[in-house]
Amino acid sequence: MPKWNWNATVVEEKNGERRVGSASGEVKAPTREAARDAVRREIERKGSGRTAFETRVF
C-alpha cells in the first residue's frame, strides 16, 4: 500500500478558546482521497474540538 505525506491546518477549540496550528505526517492508504479521509479522522479523533482544514496529501 502506498505511503502518503500530508500536512494540514488544524483548528482546536477548547475551553472557549480557539487555537490554529499545523500538523504533518505520513499515512498508508490505497488512494489520495482515502489518505485525506484517514488524516481527517485521525485529527478529529483526538478530541478537544480539533478540526482539519486545507489537508494536503502528496
Side-chain angles (χ1 to χ4, degrees):
M1 190 172 309
K3 288 183 183 179
W4 302 88
N5 291 313
W6 62 269
N7 58 32
T9 300
V10 179
V11 176
E12 182 176 19
E13 296 188 34
K14 192 173 184 179
N15 300 327
E17 217 175 285
R18 189 175 203 193
R19 297 186 333 191
V20 179
S22 62
S24 62
E26 187 176 86
V27 65
K28 288 184 181 181
T31 65
R32 184 182 306 264
E33 291 77 22
R36 186 175 294 119
D37 291 341
V39 168
R40 290 185 72 90
R41 280 194 308 270
E42 177 67 21
I43 288 171
E44 292 172 4
R45 182 178 62 107
K46 291 183 178 178
S48 299
R50 289 169 53 109
T51 307
F53 292 96
E54 299 178 13
T55 305
R56 291 171 295 282
V57 177
F58 49 95

